[in-house]
């Protein structure tokens, strides 16, 4: 009896085994059938997106530098794809990052203004990436990813009070945030000067206005200057100067803040070891989440001024503190790769490395030390739409999925990461708005030869500055400028007088017909074409004009987040970790 039951049970088991045994093979087959099945099987890749600040494309060994040591970044490029025509959507931090996160030209999210440089200069500004914008982090989070931003944000903080955090990274899909809500700036390190030019001009400006008007009034007989009046004028001048100087002195307390999630951990932050701290945070985040898909946006503070490097890296490069800072970031990239190797995650992780824009050529310290990067053969730098401002490194690696050791010359954009990440996370891009980036996977895997970017539009703040056209049937890459920045000194490609090139009409030269280049034969933009040298001159410009019209009609008007009102310092929005009497000073990091 017992025997028969057992054999009956055995028969059932055998039958089940016969049915089930092929399952692993079927599964394997399904897996081999492609990544879409992979995604359905819920084996989603992790994503690590690394962005440096102001790094020049010519600073990296893999892009031709022979004197800076970037062995880890070079290894990443060797194990993946190197994009040779990778374009930042803007030549300044705030708009470039907005475009990167949303896959849209910054004009669509209102991250443009029409005067002064288009970046946030205060934590206590009310502008920021609007909550209705959709970032790749938001979508990845909805798809079950653990998400983190470690490093720089620069897309706003508060709207109405000093801690409403309406523009905080957590509003945009980042579960964890360790970093700075604004940007690293000269003011964040003693002895590195200030980015606020007001300090330079205001005292003299005030003095000049007061003195000139007094003299004019006196001479025209309208007033007779008495001693009391002169003293009054002088004291107004003195108070104005003191207030300005005082404000500049407290900038580090106002702007140089380190946050963990919603709490201030350092105010002002101590910069020297920040690359180390961020690396440790990143490694711990990867370790904590090695068992599930994660998205890490590792947004380095370097190599934006004020430059810093920890003691172990100071003096290690042949390019001063700038080179030391680059080499420390390279070390950090190495730590990320080692962590992934150790956890056996390389074949399940897509890595991306880029810079938010080209090197900032105006950055030379007060002592004359070079604090800027190198844009290689490309003209000018950060804050311009010459190639040096927007042609950035683009490295992507995913062992086993993206073939190694390839280079791609087709135009790509940092906005492409949005649809690429959304796709890999298993989500779909929002259908209710225009997305300007294109999924890169087919290009990266060699399944497509051509980029989907036929046209790219280059804005400087809210002004349409230039257009790039890579016609479908040709290898040419045309680029037309409607205006170009006025350089100072004139024989250089920098705007030394304003520290960044500005794009409002007073600071540029307009071109009609537009200034046309063919980047495929003239990547350094040295030879503008004319109807005499280029038979297609007029037809190329006509095609571009049509594309511009179509593009412009797709742009819906939105509130400018970089208007004067949204950029100005508002005392009631100022984050402060202590009482005002204690000067908003806290050193709590451990
Ligand atoms: C390497 O980068 C440094 C720092 O930006 C730059 O000064 C140097 O000219 C570059 N060297 C080469 C060979 O590209």
């Amino acid at each position: 009896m017992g025997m028969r039951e057992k054999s009956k049970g055995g028969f059932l088991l055998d039958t089940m085994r016969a049915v089930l045994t092929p399952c692993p093979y079927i599964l394997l087959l399904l897996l081999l059938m492609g990544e879409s099945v992979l995604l359905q099987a819920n084996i989603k890749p992790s994503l690590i997106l690394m962005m440096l600040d102001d790094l020049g494309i010519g600073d990296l060994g893999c892009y031709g530098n022979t004197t800076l040591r970037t062995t880890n970044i070079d290894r990443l490029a060797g194990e993946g794809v190197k994009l040779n025509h990778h374009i930042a959507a803007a030549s300044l931090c705030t708009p470039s990052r907005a475009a990167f996160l949303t896959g849209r030209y910054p004009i669509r999210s209102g991250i443009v203004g029409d005067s002064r440089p288009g970046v946030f200069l205060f934590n206590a500004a009310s502008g920021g990436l609007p909550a209705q914008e959709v970032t790749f982090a938001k979508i990845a989070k909805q798809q079950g990813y653990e998400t983190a931003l470690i490093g720089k944000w620069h897309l706003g903080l508060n709207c109405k009070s000093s801690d409403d955090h309406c523009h905080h990274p957590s509003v945009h899909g980042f579960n964890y945030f360790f970093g700075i809500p604004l940007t690293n700036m000269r003011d964040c390190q003693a002895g590195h000067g200030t980015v606020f030019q007001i300090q330079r001009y205001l005292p003299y400006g005030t003095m000049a206005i007061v003195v000139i008007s007094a003299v004019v009034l006196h001479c025209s007989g309208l007033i007779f200057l008495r001693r009391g009046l002169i003293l009054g004028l002088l004291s107004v001048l003195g108070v104005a100067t003191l207030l300005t100087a005082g404000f500049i002195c407290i900038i580090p307390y106002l702007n140089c803040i380190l946050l963990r999630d919603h709490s201030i951990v350092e105010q002002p932050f101590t910069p020297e070891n920040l690359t180390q701290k961020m690396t440790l945070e990143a490694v711990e985040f990867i370790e904590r989440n090695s068992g599930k898909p994660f998205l890490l946006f590792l947004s380095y503070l370097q190599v934006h001024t004020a430059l810093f490097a920890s003691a172990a890296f100071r003096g290690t490069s042949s390019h001063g503190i700038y080179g030391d800072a680059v080499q420390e970031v390279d070390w950090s990239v190495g730590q990320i790769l080692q962590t992934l190797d150790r956890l056996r995650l390389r074949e399940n992780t897509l890595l991306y490395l880029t810079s938010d824009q080209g090197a900032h050529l105006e950055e030379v310290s007060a002592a004359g030390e070079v604090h800027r990067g190198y844009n290689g053969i490309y003209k000018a730098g950060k804050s311009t739409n010459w190639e040096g401002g927007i042609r950035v490194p683009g490295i992507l690696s995913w062992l086993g999925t993206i073939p190694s050791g390839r280079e791609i010359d087709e135009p790509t954009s940092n906005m492409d990461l949005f649809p690429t990440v959304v796709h890999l996370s298993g989500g779909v891009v929002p259908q209710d708005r225009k997305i300007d980036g294109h999924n890169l996977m087919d290009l990266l895997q060699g399944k497509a030869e051509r980029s989907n970017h036929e046209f790219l539009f280059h804005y400087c703040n809210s002004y349409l500055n230039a257009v790039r056209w890579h016609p479908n049937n040709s290898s040419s890459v045309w680029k037309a400028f409607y205006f170009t920045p006025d350089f100072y000194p004139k024989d250089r490609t920098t705007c030394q007088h304003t520290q960044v090139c500005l794009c409002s009409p007073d600071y540029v030269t307009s071109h009609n017909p537009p200034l046309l280049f063919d980047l495929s034969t003239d990547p350094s933009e040295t030879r503008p074409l004319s109807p005499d040298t280029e038979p297609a001159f007029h037809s190329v410009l006509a095609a571009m004009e049509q594309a511009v019209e179509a593009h412009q009609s797709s742009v819906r008007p939105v509130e400018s987040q970089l208007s004067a009102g949204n950029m100005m310092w508002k005392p009631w929005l100022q984050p402060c970790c202590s009482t005002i009497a204690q000067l908003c000073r806290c050193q709590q990091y451990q």
Side-chain angles (χ1 to χ4, degrees):
M1 192 68 183
M3 280 285 284
R4 273 173 69 193
E5 268 186 2
K6 199 177 172 196
S7 74
K8 197 176 161 196
F11 170 73
L12 270 175
L13 265 179
D14 283 347
T15 321
M16 277 168 72
R17 241 184 239 126
V19 176
L20 289 174
T21 314
C23 271
Y25 300 104
I26 293 172
L27 194 65
L28 191 70
L29 199 72
L30 285 173
L31 287 179
L32 290 173
M33 275 166 63
E35 95 207 69
S36 56
V37 180
L38 253 175
L39 292 176
Q40 279 158 22
N42 213 12
I43 308 171
K44 299 180 177 182
S46 287
L47 305 154
I48 300 183
L49 312 171
M50 295 175 281
M51 182 176 275
L52 280 85
D53 200 344
D54 290 358
L55 178 82
I57 191 168
D59 287 330
L60 298 178
C62 53
Y63 283 94
N65 201 301
T66 49
T67 51
L68 261 177
R69 216 172 48 241
T70 56
T71 46
N72 294 297
I73 296 174
D74 300 347
R75 172 187 153 201
L76 186 66
E79 292 172 348
V81 168
K82 188 167 75 109
L83 303 175
N84 289 333
H85 197 137
H86 196 47
I87 303 297
S91 61
L92 287 174
C93 307
T94 299
S96 175
R97 285 155 192 268
F100 169 65
L101 286 160
T102 62
R104 285 146 60 78
Y105 289 115
I107 188 126
R108 299 193 196 279
S109 50
I111 306 291
V112 292
D114 49 25
S115 64
R116 293 279 115 186
V119 294
F120 293 116
L121 295 170
F122 295 109
N123 276 319
S126 54
L129 189 63
Q132 67 269 21
E133 287 299 322
V134 179
T135 68
F136 54 65
K138 206 183 251 178
I139 293 181
K141 184 178 163 176
Q142 284 161 2
Q143 295 298 319
Y145 276 64
E146 195 54 54
T147 56
L149 165 61
I150 293 174
K152 159 170 163 167
W153 175 239
H154 212 180
L155 286 166
L157 186 59
N158 294 318
C159 293
K160 295 201 161 74
S161 73
S162 65
D163 60 358
D164 64 40
H165 288 184
C166 67
H167 296 126
H168 186 277
S170 63
V171 172
H172 289 289
F174 292 101
N175 272 348
Y176 181 65
F177 173 47
F178 175 80
I180 62 172
L182 193 65
T183 179
N184 176 43
M185 51 174 70
R186 280 171 175 234
D187 306 69
C188 293
Q189 217 179 128
H192 283 244
T194 172
V195 295
F196 294 92
Q197 304 226 327
I198 185 174
Q199 180 206 32
R200 235 194 277 167
Y201 302 120
L202 198 92
Y204 308 115
T206 320
M207 193 169 355
I209 289 168
V210 171
V211 171
I212 290 170
S213 35
V215 169
V216 167
L217 290 173
H218 180 75
C219 293
S220 59
L222 283 175
I223 58 162
F224 173 67
L225 287 180
R226 269 171 282 160
R227 254 186 45 208
L229 188 61
I230 291 176
L231 280 180
L233 289 174
L234 281 178
S235 46
V236 167
L237 180 64
V239 169
T241 309
L242 274 179
L243 281 178
T244 316
F247 188 70
I248 298 294
C249 286
I250 59 167
I251 292 283
Y253 302 97
L254 304 181
N255 275 353
C256 310
I257 296 180
L258 184 65
L259 292 183
R260 172 172 281 118
D261 293 325
H262 292 279
S263 338
I264 298 175
V265 290
E266 281 189 11
Q267 184 171 6
F269 59 70
T270 314
E272 285 79 27
N273 292 327
L274 270 182
T275 302
Q276 300 285 320
K277 287 177 192 168
M278 281 177 49
T279 307
L280 186 63
E281 289 277 339
V283 167
E284 285 175 357
F285 174 80
I286 297 169
E287 287 173 346
R288 272 202 305 281
N289 297 292
S290 59
K292 52 182 174 239
F294 62 81
L295 178 145
L296 168 62
F297 176 20
L298 182 50
S299 173
Y300 291 102
L301 275 46
Q302 292 297 282
V303 285
H304 192 292
T305 55
L307 295 170
F308 56 77
S310 63
F313 287 87
R314 245 171 281 146
T316 57
S317 81
S318 49
H319 294 287
I321 184 73
Y322 182 85
D324 301 346
V326 173
Q327 291 187 178
E328 185 162 23
V329 171
D330 181 70
W331 163 86
S332 173
V333 173
Q335 294 299 300
I336 302 299
L337 294 179
Q338 270 182 28
T339 306
L340 294 175
D341 287 341
R342 172 161 54 83
L343 298 171
R344 303 194 183 289
L345 290 177
R346 269 309 288 285
E347 301 205 341
N348 197 34
T349 306
L350 174 87
L351 290 130
Y352 171 65
L353 184 135
T354 193
S355 175
D356 54 357
Q357 65 258 326
H360 190 178
L361 301 185
E362 284 81 1
E363 289 289 5
V364 177
S365 80
E369 195 186 359
V370 172
H371 280 189
R372 57 160 178 246
Y374 178 59
N375 292 323
I377 61 166
Y378 301 111
K379 182 167 179 173
K382 173 178 177 173
S383 79
T384 79
N385 279 310
W386 291 107
E387 289 299 277
I390 50 178
R391 180 88 65 125
V392 289
I395 298 170
L396 287 127
S397 159
W398 180 359
L399 293 189
T401 301
I402 297 178
S404 295
R406 282 180 64 231
E407 297 187 21
I408 293 176
D409 295 328
E410 286 286 294
T412 54
S413 163
N414 67 351
M415 297 185 290
D416 296 342
L417 272 294
F418 176 85
T420 308
V421 166
V422 168
H423 163 75
L424 293 176
S425 73
V428 284
V429 298
Q431 303 296 308
D432 62 343
R433 62 196 70 200
K434 185 101 176 90
I435 303 294
D436 301 297
H438 296 290
N439 184 354
L440 285 171
M441 284 313 289
D442 283 351
L443 204 57
L444 296 175
Q445 294 186 296
K447 294 179 188 164
E449 288 284 306
R450 304 278 304 198
S451 141
N452 287 320
H453 286 289
E454 192 182 348
F455 290 95
L456 277 165
F457 304 96
H458 304 293
Y459 281 85
C460 185
N461 224 344
S462 63
Y463 306 92
L464 182 64
N465 188 175
V467 184
R468 178 183 314 249
W469 181 31
H470 185 37
N472 280 325
N473 54 356
S474 120
S475 61
S476 289
V477 182
W478 307 101
K479 186 174 170 194
F481 284 88
Y482 298 108
F483 62 84
T484 48
D486 293 333
F487 291 132
Y488 184 89
K490 274 202 167 74
D491 57 338
R492 300 275 182 81
T493 57
T494 54
C495 298
Q496 210 69 57
H497 55 323
T498 41
Q499 279 298 306
V500 286
C501 296
L502 302 171
C503 18
S504 36
D506 292 349
Y507 296 91
V508 302
T509 300
S510 298
H511 302 285
N512 191 10
L515 216 50
L516 183 68
F517 297 92
D518 181 357
L519 299 180
S520 66
T521 54
D522 180 20
S524 304
E525 299 166 293
T526 50
R527 298 185 305 272
L529 302 169
S530 69
D532 296 334
T533 58
E534 177 50 63
F537 186 83
H538 289 296
S539 63
V540 167
L541 288 179
M544 288 174 138
E545 201 50 53
Q546 252 188 0
V548 165
E549 271 169 36
H551 160 71
Q552 282 177 329
S553 67
S554 78
V555 176
R556 293 185 212 148
V558 292
E559 183 195 351
S560 164
Q561 300 295 321
L562 292 168
S563 63
N566 275 331
M567 275 183 72
M568 67 186 269
W569 179 69
K570 296 178 175 165
W572 61 94
L573 298 187
Q574 180 58 52
C576 182
C577 63
S578 66
T579 64
I580 295 191
Q582 290 166 305
L583 267 178
C584 300
R585 193 165 22 187
C586 302
Q587 297 294 323
Q588 310 165 347
Y589 185 86
Q590 52 257 331

